[in-house]
Amino acid sequence: MSQIQQEPVDTLKPAAEGMVRVTFLPQNRTVEFPFDTLPYEGHGLPMSFLDVAENYGIFLDHACGGVCACTTCHIHVKEGASGLSEAEDLELDRMETAADIQLNSRLGCQAVIEKPGTYVVEIPKWNRNYVQEGKPSHGPGS
């Protein structure tokens, strides 16, 4: 899969009309693109946070391949929740097995961006793998 290259985003200026801006914490990586223009290669649902992360080379663990069969892509949505798809039963059932569930918890493979805007998501500390040369050096919880 080829990754989209992008110049740094000026986060001091608001996102332009029709644009999606996503910031991934704690990496503090921000990407921006016109709404509904990402190529889709099967990682999570189209326009999900996992899809965005994969397109821009941002590591968001997804042990099951993004098919809502695990919780390794568990994220906390810090900003923009009103622009996302509602969690469906499959995601809600799966989230019952996730650690540290919060009101803003979602699975990155299932939370779909449905309109332009600014979104901020955080990968919980307990769910982050250390990354070495773009690959995790060991599994979740290590």
Side-chain angles (χ1 to χ4, degrees):
M1 174 163 131
S2 63
Q3 295 174 356
I4 299 170
Q5 300 299 314
Q6 182 175 43
E7 295 295 317
V9 176
D10 184 354
T11 57
L12 298 176
K13 296 179 183 176
E17 188 173 329
M19 298 294 283
V20 172
R21 179 181 290 175
V22 181
T23 299
F24 290 87
L25 301 175
Q27 300 95 326
N28 207 29
R29 288 259 327 262
T30 301
V31 299
E32 194 171 74
F33 55 91
F35 178 71
D36 216 14
T37 62
L38 286 182
Y40 178 65
E41 295 190 24
H43 293 279
L45 296 174
M47 286 290 290
S48 67
F49 288 114
L50 178 57
D51 186 28
V52 174
E54 285 291 303
N55 269 287
Y56 287 94
I58 297 166
F59 182 73
L60 177 56
D61 199 3
H62 54 289
C64 72
V67 297
C68 198
C70 71
T71 61
T72 57
C73 67
H74 178 192
I75 57 174
H76 295 145
V77 179
K78 300 289 193 177
E79 185 179 336
S82 64
L84 301 177
S85 61
E86 292 289 324
E88 298 198 8
D89 288 344
L90 180 60
E91 179 182 2
L92 294 172
D93 289 346
R94 184 61 54 207
M95 287 300 295
E96 289 179 7
T97 68
D100 191 29
I101 296 175
Q102 299 180 8
L103 291 175
N104 62 350
S105 288
R106 293 293 304 268
L107 292 180
C109 67
Q110 300 298 298
V112 173
I113 298 167
E114 293 188 325
K115 59 185 178 182
T118 299
Y119 301 87
V120 178
V121 297
E122 180 177 33
I123 301 168
K125 184 175 184 175
W126 53 266
N127 206 28
R128 293 178 215 143
N129 284 328
Y130 290 98
V131 177
Q132 184 174 1
E133 294 181 19
K135 304 276 187 213
S137 57
H138 43 73
S142 299

PDB file of all heavy atoms in Angstrom, residues 74-99:
ATOM      1  N   HIS A  74      -8.664   0.520  19.598  1.00  0.00           N
ATOM      2  CA  HIS A  74      -9.443   1.344  20.528  1.00  0.00           C
ATOM      3  C   HIS A  74      -8.815   2.735  20.628  1.00  0.00           C
ATOM      4  O   HIS A  74      -7.618   2.874  20.830  1.00  0.00           O
ATOM      5  CB  HIS A  74      -9.444   0.655  21.898  1.00  0.00           C
ATOM      6  CG  HIS A  74     -10.162   1.396  22.970  1.00  0.00           C
ATOM      7  ND1 HIS A  74     -10.044   1.023  24.285  1.00  0.00           N
ATOM      8  CD2 HIS A  74     -10.989   2.460  22.959  1.00  0.00           C
ATOM      9  CE1 HIS A  74     -10.778   1.823  25.042  1.00  0.00           C
ATOM     10  NE2 HIS A  74     -11.356   2.709  24.250  1.00  0.00           N
ATOM     11  N   ILE A  75      -9.637   3.753  20.439  1.00  0.00           N
ATOM     12  CA  ILE A  75      -9.196   5.150  20.527  1.00  0.00           C
ATOM     13  C   ILE A  75     -10.168   5.932  21.398  1.00  0.00           C
ATOM     14  O   ILE A  75     -11.288   5.499  21.648  1.00  0.00           O
ATOM     15  CB  ILE A  75      -9.111   5.810  19.131  1.00  0.00           C
ATOM     16  CG1 ILE A  75     -10.470   5.721  18.419  1.00  0.00           C
ATOM     17  CG2 ILE A  75      -7.981   5.217  18.305  1.00  0.00           C
ATOM     18  CD1 ILE A  75     -10.544   6.476  17.100  1.00  0.00           C
ATOM     19  N   HIS A  76      -9.720   7.103  21.832  1.00  0.00           N
ATOM     20  CA  HIS A  76     -10.594   8.061  22.514  1.00  0.00           C
ATOM     21  C   HIS A  76     -10.769   9.252  21.581  1.00  0.00           C
ATOM     22  O   HIS A  76      -9.781   9.845  21.134  1.00  0.00           O
ATOM     23  CB  HIS A  76      -9.976   8.515  23.841  1.00  0.00           C
ATOM     24  CG  HIS A  76      -9.848   7.408  24.842  1.00  0.00           C
ATOM     25  ND1 HIS A  76      -8.801   7.319  25.713  1.00  0.00           N
ATOM     26  CD2 HIS A  76     -10.639   6.335  25.096  1.00  0.00           C
ATOM     27  CE1 HIS A  76      -8.949   6.248  26.479  1.00  0.00           C
ATOM     28  NE2 HIS A  76     -10.050   5.637  26.117  1.00  0.00           N
ATOM     29  N   VAL A  77     -12.009   9.582  21.264  1.00  0.00           N
ATOM     30  CA  VAL A  77     -12.302  10.710  20.382  1.00  0.00           C
ATOM     31  C   VAL A  77     -12.354  11.969  21.244  1.00  0.00           C
ATOM     32  O   VAL A  77     -13.261  12.138  22.050  1.00  0.00           O
ATOM     33  CB  VAL A  77     -13.631  10.502  19.628  1.00  0.00           C
ATOM     34  CG1 VAL A  77     -13.933  11.698  18.738  1.00  0.00           C
ATOM     35  CG2 VAL A  77     -13.579   9.215  18.807  1.00  0.00           C
ATOM     36  N   LYS A  78     -11.369  12.834  21.074  1.00  0.00           N
ATOM     37  CA  LYS A  78     -11.250  14.048  21.885  1.00  0.00           C
ATOM     38  C   LYS A  78     -12.013  15.227  21.280  1.00  0.00           C
ATOM     39  O   LYS A  78     -12.409  16.138  21.987  1.00  0.00           O
ATOM     40  CB  LYS A  78      -9.776  14.438  22.057  1.00  0.00           C
ATOM     41  CG  LYS A  78      -8.926  13.385  22.725  1.00  0.00           C
ATOM     42  CD  LYS A  78      -9.276  13.280  24.179  1.00  0.00           C
ATOM     43  CE  LYS A  78      -8.252  12.485  24.944  1.00  0.00           C
ATOM     44  NZ  LYS A  78      -8.548  12.442  26.361  1.00  0.00           N
ATOM     45  N   GLU A  79     -12.171  15.210  19.952  1.00  0.00           N
ATOM     46  CA  GLU A  79     -12.868  16.306  19.263  1.00  0.00           C
ATOM     47  C   GLU A  79     -13.487  15.774  17.982  1.00  0.00           C
ATOM     48  O   GLU A  79     -12.873  14.965  17.286  1.00  0.00           O
ATOM     49  CB  GLU A  79     -11.874  17.430  18.932  1.00  0.00           C
ATOM     50  CG  GLU A  79     -12.503  18.658  18.319  1.00  0.00           C
ATOM     51  CD  GLU A  79     -11.478  19.763  18.040  1.00  0.00           C
ATOM     52  OE1 GLU A  79     -10.421  19.800  18.689  1.00  0.00           O
ATOM     53  OE2 GLU A  79     -11.758  20.586  17.153  1.00  0.00           O
ATOM     54  N   GLY A  80     -14.706  16.214  17.672  1.00  0.00           N
ATOM     55  CA  GLY A  80     -15.345  15.880  16.403  1.00  0.00           C
ATOM     56  C   GLY A  80     -16.330  14.733  16.451  1.00  0.00           C
ATOM     57  O   GLY A  80     -16.782  14.273  15.401  1.00  0.00           O
ATOM     58  N   ALA A  81     -16.692  14.263  17.627  1.00  0.00           N
ATOM     59  CA  ALA A  81     -17.577  13.088  17.732  1.00  0.00           C
ATOM     60  C   ALA A  81     -18.893  13.273  16.982  1.00  0.00           C
ATOM     61  O   ALA A  81     -19.442  12.310  16.448  1.00  0.00           O
ATOM     62  CB  ALA A  81     -17.846  12.754  19.201  1.00  0.00           C
ATOM     63  N   SER A  82     -19.398  14.501  16.888  1.00  0.00           N
ATOM     64  CA  SER A  82     -20.686  14.726  16.222  1.00  0.00           C
ATOM     65  C   SER A  82     -20.614  14.484  14.711  1.00  0.00           C
ATOM     66  O   SER A  82     -21.638  14.303  14.069  1.00  0.00           O
ATOM     67  CB  SER A  82     -21.193  16.143  16.497  1.00  0.00           C
ATOM     68  OG  SER A  82     -20.315  17.091  15.926  1.00  0.00           O
ATOM     69  N   GLY A  83     -19.414  14.443  14.147  1.00  0.00           N
ATOM     70  CA  GLY A  83     -19.255  14.189  12.716  1.00  0.00           C
ATOM     71  C   GLY A  83     -19.008  12.739  12.369  1.00  0.00           C
ATOM     72  O   GLY A  83     -18.732  12.414  11.223  1.00  0.00           O
ATOM     73  N   LEU A  84     -19.122  11.852  13.375  1.00  0.00           N
ATOM     74  CA  LEU A  84     -18.834  10.433  13.164  1.00  0.00           C
ATOM     75  C   LEU A  84     -20.103   9.608  13.062  1.00  0.00           C
ATOM     76  O   LEU A  84     -21.151   9.992  13.577  1.00  0.00           O
ATOM     77  CB  LEU A  84     -17.996   9.892  14.332  1.00  0.00           C
ATOM     78  CG  LEU A  84     -16.659  10.563  14.567  1.00  0.00           C
ATOM     79  CD1 LEU A  84     -15.999   9.962  15.798  1.00  0.00           C
ATOM     80  CD2 LEU A  84     -15.768  10.444  13.346  1.00  0.00           C
ATOM     81  N   SER A  85     -19.964   8.438  12.463  1.00  0.00           N
ATOM     82  CA  SER A  85     -21.055   7.469  12.432  1.00  0.00           C
ATOM     83  C   SER A  85     -21.380   7.042  13.858  1.00  0.00           C
ATOM     84  O   SER A  85     -20.525   7.097  14.741  1.00  0.00           O
ATOM     85  CB  SER A  85     -20.633   6.240  11.620  1.00  0.00           C
ATOM     86  OG  SER A  85     -19.499   5.620  12.230  1.00  0.00           O
ATOM     87  N   GLU A  86     -22.623   6.636  14.060  1.00  0.00           N
ATOM     88  CA  GLU A  86     -23.016   6.076  15.359  1.00  0.00           C
ATOM     89  C   GLU A  86     -22.410   4.685  15.491  1.00  0.00           C
ATOM     90  O   GLU A  86     -22.315   3.951  14.504  1.00  0.00           O
ATOM     91  CB  GLU A  86     -24.548   5.971  15.450  1.00  0.00           C
ATOM     92  CG  GLU A  86     -25.262   7.305  15.514  1.00  0.00           C
ATOM     93  CD  GLU A  86     -25.058   8.005  16.851  1.00  0.00           C
ATOM     94  OE1 GLU A  86     -24.996   7.325  17.891  1.00  0.00           O
ATOM     95  OE2 GLU A  86     -24.943   9.243  16.833  1.00  0.00           O
ATOM     96  N   ALA A  87     -22.037   4.315  16.712  1.00  0.00           N
ATOM     97  CA  ALA A  87     -21.530   2.964  16.941  1.00  0.00           C
ATOM     98  C   ALA A  87     -22.671   1.968  16.744  1.00  0.00           C
ATOM     99  O   ALA A  87     -23.766   2.159  17.263  1.00  0.00           O
ATOM    100  CB  ALA A  87     -20.962   2.855  18.345  1.00  0.00           C
ATOM    101  N   GLU A  88     -22.417   0.919  15.968  1.00  0.00           N
ATOM    102  CA  GLU A  88     -23.423  -0.112  15.734  1.00  0.00           C
ATOM    103  C   GLU A  88     -23.234  -1.251  16.734  1.00  0.00           C
ATOM    104  O   GLU A  88     -22.239  -1.300  17.457  1.00  0.00           O
ATOM    105  CB  GLU A  88     -23.332  -0.590  14.284  1.00  0.00           C
ATOM    106  CG  GLU A  88     -23.634   0.560  13.330  1.00  0.00           C
ATOM    107  CD  GLU A  88     -23.992   0.111  11.940  1.00  0.00           C
ATOM    108  OE1 GLU A  88     -24.168  -1.103  11.712  1.00  0.00           O
ATOM    109  OE2 GLU A  88     -24.110   0.987  11.078  1.00  0.00           O
ATOM    110  N   ASP A  89     -24.178  -2.181  16.765  1.00  0.00           N
ATOM    111  CA  ASP A  89     -24.177  -3.253  17.759  1.00  0.00           C
ATOM    112  C   ASP A  89     -22.873  -4.051  17.780  1.00  0.00           C
ATOM    113  O   ASP A  89     -22.372  -4.381  18.854  1.00  0.00           O
ATOM    114  CB  ASP A  89     -25.355  -4.197  17.540  1.00  0.00           C
ATOM    115  CG  ASP A  89     -26.688  -3.575  17.925  1.00  0.00           C
ATOM    116  OD1 ASP A  89     -26.699  -2.549  18.641  1.00  0.00           O
ATOM    117  OD2 ASP A  89     -27.738  -4.120  17.507  1.00  0.00           O
ATOM    118  N   LEU A  90     -22.323  -4.374  16.619  1.00  0.00           N
ATOM    119  CA  LEU A  90     -21.085  -5.153  16.575  1.00  0.00           C
ATOM    120  C   LEU A  90     -19.961  -4.425  17.310  1.00  0.00           C
ATOM    121  O   LEU A  90     -19.244  -5.019  18.121  1.00  0.00           O
ATOM    122  CB  LEU A  90     -20.686  -5.448  15.128  1.00  0.00           C
ATOM    123  CG  LEU A  90     -19.399  -6.253  14.936  1.00  0.00           C
ATOM    124  CD1 LEU A  90     -19.510  -7.625  15.601  1.00  0.00           C
ATOM    125  CD2 LEU A  90     -19.088  -6.395  13.460  1.00  0.00           C
ATOM    126  N   GLU A  91     -19.807  -3.122  17.037  1.00  0.00           N
ATOM    127  CA  GLU A  91     -18.768  -2.340  17.713  1.00  0.00           C
ATOM    128  C   GLU A  91     -19.051  -2.249  19.209  1.00  0.00           C
ATOM    129  O   GLU A  91     -18.149  -2.417  20.037  1.00  0.00           O
ATOM    130  CB  GLU A  91     -18.674  -0.932  17.113  1.00  0.00           C
ATOM    131  CG  GLU A  91     -17.629  -0.063  17.795  1.00  0.00           C
ATOM    132  CD  GLU A  91     -17.548   1.347  17.263  1.00  0.00           C
ATOM    133  OE1 GLU A  91     -18.349   1.712  16.359  1.00  0.00           O
ATOM    134  OE2 GLU A  91     -16.699   2.107  17.747  1.00  0.00           O
ATOM    135  N   LEU A  92     -20.301  -1.986  19.578  1.00  0.00           N
ATOM    136  CA  LEU A  92     -20.649  -1.871  20.995  1.00  0.00           C
ATOM    137  C   LEU A  92     -20.385  -3.189  21.734  1.00  0.00           C
ATOM    138  O   LEU A  92     -19.852  -3.184  22.855  1.00  0.00           O
ATOM    139  CB  LEU A  92     -22.108  -1.446  21.150  1.00  0.00           C
ATOM    140  CG  LEU A  92     -22.434  -0.049  20.633  1.00  0.00           C
ATOM    141  CD1 LEU A  92     -23.940   0.190  20.650  1.00  0.00           C
ATOM    142  CD2 LEU A  92     -21.707   1.029  21.441  1.00  0.00           C
ATOM    143  N   ASP A  93     -20.726  -4.297  21.106  1.00  0.00           N
ATOM    144  CA  ASP A  93     -20.462  -5.602  21.719  1.00  0.00           C
ATOM    145  C   ASP A  93     -18.962  -5.824  21.901  1.00  0.00           C
ATOM    146  O   ASP A  93     -18.516  -6.309  22.942  1.00  0.00           O
ATOM    147  CB  ASP A  93     -21.046  -6.740  20.871  1.00  0.00           C
ATOM    148  CG  ASP A  93     -22.565  -6.785  20.902  1.00  0.00           C
ATOM    149  OD1 ASP A  93     -23.175  -6.125  21.773  1.00  0.00           O
ATOM    150  OD2 ASP A  93     -23.140  -7.480  20.041  1.00  0.00           O
ATOM    151  N   ARG A  94     -18.194  -5.492  20.889  1.00  0.00           N
ATOM    152  CA  ARG A  94     -16.739  -5.670  20.951  1.00  0.00           C
ATOM    153  C   ARG A  94     -16.133  -4.759  22.022  1.00  0.00           C
ATOM    154  O   ARG A  94     -15.252  -5.164  22.776  1.00  0.00           O
ATOM    155  CB  ARG A  94     -16.112  -5.387  19.579  1.00  0.00           C
ATOM    156  CG  ARG A  94     -14.643  -5.633  19.501  1.00  0.00           C
ATOM    157  CD  ARG A  94     -14.218  -7.050  19.772  1.00  0.00           C
ATOM    158  NE  ARG A  94     -14.918  -7.984  18.915  1.00  0.00           N
ATOM    159  CZ  ARG A  94     -15.156  -9.251  19.218  1.00  0.00           C
ATOM    160  NH1 ARG A  94     -14.751  -9.750  20.352  1.00  0.00           N
ATOM    161  NH2 ARG A  94     -15.797 -10.035  18.395  1.00  0.00           N
ATOM    162  N   MET A  95     -16.634  -3.531  22.128  1.00  0.00           N
ATOM    163  CA  MET A  95     -16.080  -2.571  23.102  1.00  0.00           C
ATOM    164  C   MET A  95     -16.266  -3.048  24.540  1.00  0.00           C
ATOM    165  O   MET A  95     -15.507  -2.645  25.426  1.00  0.00           O
ATOM    166  CB  MET A  95     -16.716  -1.195  22.924  1.00  0.00           C
ATOM    167  CG  MET A  95     -16.252  -0.443  21.692  1.00  0.00           C
ATOM    168  SD  MET A  95     -14.472  -0.113  21.667  1.00  0.00           S
ATOM    169  CE  MET A  95     -14.326   0.975  23.070  1.00  0.00           C
ATOM    170  N   GLU A  96     -17.243  -3.930  24.769  1.00  0.00           N
ATOM    171  CA  GLU A  96     -17.436  -4.461  26.117  1.00  0.00           C
ATOM    172  C   GLU A  96     -16.219  -5.239  26.599  1.00  0.00           C
ATOM    173  O   GLU A  96     -16.042  -5.433  27.797  1.00  0.00           O
ATOM    174  CB  GLU A  96     -18.682  -5.350  26.170  1.00  0.00           C
ATOM    175  CG  GLU A  96     -19.974  -4.571  26.055  1.00  0.00           C
ATOM    176  CD  GLU A  96     -21.210  -5.465  26.085  1.00  0.00           C
ATOM    177  OE1 GLU A  96     -21.076  -6.689  26.334  1.00  0.00           O
ATOM    178  OE2 GLU A  96     -22.302  -4.936  25.859  1.00  0.00           O
ATOM    179  N   THR A  97     -15.366  -5.684  25.673  1.00  0.00           N
ATOM    180  CA  THR A  97     -14.169  -6.441  26.044  1.00  0.00           C
ATOM    181  C   THR A  97     -12.925  -5.556  26.121  1.00  0.00           C
ATOM    182  O   THR A  97     -11.854  -6.044  26.473  1.00  0.00           O
ATOM    183  CB  THR A  97     -13.915  -7.580  25.037  1.00  0.00           C
ATOM    184  OG1 THR A  97     -13.555  -7.025  23.764  1.00  0.00           O
ATOM    185  CG2 THR A  97     -15.134  -8.482  24.898  1.00  0.00           C
ATOM    186  N   ALA A  98     -13.043  -4.281  25.809  1.00  0.00           N
ATOM    187  CA  ALA A  98     -11.891  -3.373  25.801  1.00  0.00           C
ATOM    188  C   ALA A  98     -11.581  -2.873  27.208  1.00  0.00           C
ATOM    189  O   ALA A  98     -12.464  -2.721  28.044  1.00  0.00           O
ATOM    190  CB  ALA A  98     -12.167  -2.183  24.876  1.00  0.00           C
ATOM    191  N   ALA A  99     -10.322  -2.595  27.438  1.00  0.00           N
ATOM    192  CA  ALA A  99      -9.889  -2.027  28.718  1.00  0.00           C
ATOM    193  C   ALA A  99     -10.150  -0.518  28.725  1.00  0.00           C
ATOM    194  O   ALA A  99     -10.135   0.126  27.682  1.00  0.00           O
ATOM    195  CB  ALA A  99      -8.401  -2.285  28.917  1.00  0.00           C
TER     196      ALA A  99
END
